[in-house]
Amino acid sequence: MVYQQPGWLEEPATATLAAFRDYITYDILANPSLHAYLKTPAGRKILKEYLADFLFVRSKKLNGFARSHVTDFIRAILRAMGPWIVNDVEETALRKALCELFVRNHSDAFRCVTTDFNKLGYYMPNTIRVTDAALIAAAAATGKLDALKHFVGANKCLLWSHSLAFGYPLDAAVYAGQDVVTKSIVKQAVTKQNRDVAGYSYSEHVSFRQAICTTIELEDQPMTNYLLAKYITAFGSATETCMKVWLDKAIQLSNEEILKLLLALPSQSGPSTIYAAFETACRLSKPDLLHLLFGPQVGQFTLLVNHIQGSTYPLLTAVNAYTTGTFIRSLLELGADTNGPAYLAGLERPLQAATRYGRSIACLVLLGAGANPHLVTPGSLAWVESVKKRYREDTRAGRVFREALEVCEAPKVARDEDFLVEVTEADGDVEVDGGDEVDVGDV
């Protein structure tokens, strides 16, 4: 029997890496007692990182695992699936999937695994009971429609039930790579039959949302395309909550194809949802995705690089997030004004925020791109002196800042004698497009 690591551990196949995986699995995870992990910070960190693998090897053989309530639960589920499991390969694959689903879906998997059963409290033991919802999710993970039909029985609503241990049946089938079961469950949601069951129910909708999130995480492009198309058929345009979750996941994985697909998806979301996606890209420093968020319109809308959104704007968000110089340069290449939008609505200019937080790289990028330090609090020398004090003349940022003060033009300040002067007819003419005059009274 060959054990395979979960997808999120896969690396390029080499003999060295394979040997290291075997060492992690069979020596570090399989042999030490649970106490040996819990007594040191390093041990607890390893256990948290590889909790699903720990459960996998210990659900076959306890080997010093004194607290067996979780592994007993998983083995009980496997016994219930026994009539539909034909060999050891299927049993191993299902046990692996159940262990990973438990860690992914349980609200406090680590505590549940490492705490004595009698100390779990009142609520926690109910999350590791063999319930209808747990059996249905496990049946979906087997890939056997007969098993799924058996446990759902006459109550078809159970197809959308949520297991506290394993999640929704649709998501369990997607995660386990069971395409036949996945498509069968999806068909049940979009069919014209059984309308008393299918429809825009909360659990049915969330089941789809989570399953699509999982396909994005697994980078399964064909299944993502399929589920999104079926989602639109079943529910119409995507909700704002769905879009936020899916966009966030696509940006975390730097998946341009999925991001492009989502931006073109009919949805109920607005610019704030896309801006939240930009903030995620900013926080994770993903400059390669910005051309999709600010580029030519591919769906309902994309962001405008010099527009204020709420109480910020893209360049200010990037500076405040202490992102990389490459990220800021990418925004500038997309047309962001180094001095901020024309109308700031009381917000700081990018250069002011960068200097206030002492972010030298951002300052250098902005000044190198032509940011005008004179535009920050025009007419006041206090800010200029404070920046000179922060960045001395012998530093690169200090030299660039002083050069910008000499090169950039200071804004003209209105004189007292210009206050409410009479406007003549000639003053009302405006020149546009190479000298053509337009009377503002006609505009």
Side-chain angles (χ1 to χ4, degrees):
M1 185 184 302
V2 178
Y3 169 69
Q4 296 179 340
Q5 290 282 2
W8 51 270
L9 285 177
E10 289 181 1
E11 299 285 349
T14 65
T16 303
L17 284 175
F20 181 70
R21 288 189 195 129
D22 289 342
Y23 173 72
I24 289 287
T25 302
Y26 294 110
D27 288 298
I28 295 181
L29 296 177
N31 290 327
S33 67
L34 182 61
H35 175 70
Y37 284 101
L38 300 180
K39 69 180 181 180
T40 65
R44 293 178 69 87
K45 184 176 181 180
I46 291 173
L47 191 59
K48 285 182 178 180
E49 185 74 17
Y50 296 100
L51 188 60
D53 300 289
F54 181 81
L55 281 176
F56 177 80
V57 296
R58 300 301 174 108
S59 60
K60 188 68 175 176
K61 181 181 178 182
L62 286 178
N63 197 17
F65 189 8
R67 293 157 194 162
S68 61
H69 44 275
V70 176
T71 53
D72 287 345
F73 163 66
I74 290 174
R75 282 198 292 267
I77 295 292
L78 285 168
R79 284 195 298 271
M81 298 298 128
W84 295 276
I85 299 174
V86 299
N87 53 45
D88 286 347
V89 174
E90 289 189 358
E91 189 274 343
T92 300
L94 179 58
R95 185 158 54 89
K96 173 177 174 287
L98 293 178
C99 291
E100 293 177 7
L101 286 168
F102 181 83
V103 173
R104 285 169 59 87
N105 289 281
H106 195 283
S107 60
D108 199 353
F110 183 79
R111 178 171 176 266
C112 195
V113 170
T114 58
T115 304
D116 186 89
F117 185 80
N118 295 322
K119 297 180 180 179
L120 286 176
Y122 175 77
Y123 170 75
M124 194 75 75
N126 291 328
T127 65
I128 50 175
R129 287 193 303 111
V130 181
T131 62
D132 288 340
L135 290 169
I136 292 169
T142 66
K144 306 295 179 66
L145 284 174
D146 288 344
L148 190 59
K149 291 176 183 178
H150 172 80
F151 289 107
V152 170
N155 189 357
K156 295 176 182 177
C157 288
L158 290 177
L159 191 61
W160 312 107
S161 59
H162 179 258
S163 165
L164 297 172
F166 304 131
Y168 290 96
L170 178 59
D171 185 55
V174 166
Y175 184 79
Q178 305 295 357
D179 291 355
V180 172
V181 171
T182 297
K183 291 180 179 180
S184 182
I185 295 175
V186 167
K187 184 178 181 181
Q188 184 64 28
V190 301
T191 183
K192 294 182 179 179
Q193 303 171 9
N194 301 317
R195 283 193 174 273
D196 57 324
V197 176
Y200 200 107
S201 69
Y202 173 79
S203 58
E204 184 180 345
H205 182 256
V206 177
S207 177
F208 262 80
R209 183 178 73 201
Q210 183 56 45
I212 292 171
C213 193
T214 297
T215 64
I216 295 173
E217 182 180 347
L218 297 176
E219 299 189 83
D220 186 345
Q221 182 83 32
M223 185 55 73
T224 303
N225 292 346
Y226 172 80
L227 286 180
L228 283 173
K230 296 300 182 181
Y231 175 97
I232 297 300
T233 301
F235 307 112
S237 58
T239 64
E240 184 175 2
T241 302
C242 284
M243 288 296 291
K244 283 183 177 179
V245 172
W246 298 337
L247 287 168
D248 190 69
K249 186 64 68 175
I251 286 173
Q252 287 179 33
L253 298 171
S254 298
N255 194 320
E256 291 194 26
E257 290 303 315
I258 294 293
L259 183 56
K260 189 183 301 182
L261 179 65
L262 292 173
L263 289 172
L265 196 70
S267 75
Q268 303 168 21
S269 56
S272 61
T273 304
I274 310 301
Y275 200 89
F278 162 70
E279 289 175 325
T280 300
C282 189
R283 186 178 71 254
L284 300 176
S285 292
K286 304 278 188 177
D288 294 341
L289 302 178
L290 294 181
H291 70 282
L292 294 176
L293 298 173
F294 294 96
Q297 187 169 348
V298 295
Q300 298 180 56
F301 47 78
T302 49
L303 298 175
L304 298 175
V305 75
N306 285 310
H307 277 212
I308 291 174
Q309 179 64 43
S311 58
T312 186
Y313 54 89
L315 199 52
L316 182 62
T317 297
V319 170
N320 287 339
Y322 199 31
T323 189
T324 62
T326 302
F327 193 93
I328 294 175
R329 289 188 192 94
S330 297
L331 281 174
L332 295 174
E333 290 171 2
L334 288 168
D337 193 317
T338 55
N339 296 309
Y343 174 62
L344 283 169
L347 300 174
E348 288 183 311
R349 294 190 184 277
L351 185 60
Q352 184 178 10
T355 55
R356 182 159 62 87
Y357 292 117
R359 290 166 184 169
S360 302
I361 294 176
C363 289
L364 288 170
V365 172
L366 291 169
L367 290 168
N372 188 344
H374 293 294
L375 293 180
V376 180
T377 59
S380 172
L381 295 177
W383 178 79
V384 172
E385 293 304 319
S386 68
V387 176
K388 286 183 176 179
K389 186 176 181 181
R390 179 185 291 272
Y391 300 112
R392 298 187 304 274
E393 196 168 357
D394 57 349
T395 65
R396 183 184 174 193
R399 290 193 298 272
V400 173
F401 181 76
R402 286 165 175 78
E403 289 173 4
L405 287 172
E406 295 178 3
V407 173
C408 295
E409 182 180 357
K412 296 180 179 179
V413 180
R415 299 170 299 178
D416 290 343
E417 55 267 30
D418 294 328
F419 181 68
L420 287 180
V421 296
E422 183 179 354
V423 178
T424 64
E425 185 176 346
D427 294 329
D429 293 335
V430 180
E431 288 189 2
V432 296
D433 295 336
D436 294 335
E437 291 190 351
V438 177
D439 193 298
V440 295
D442 297 330
V443 177

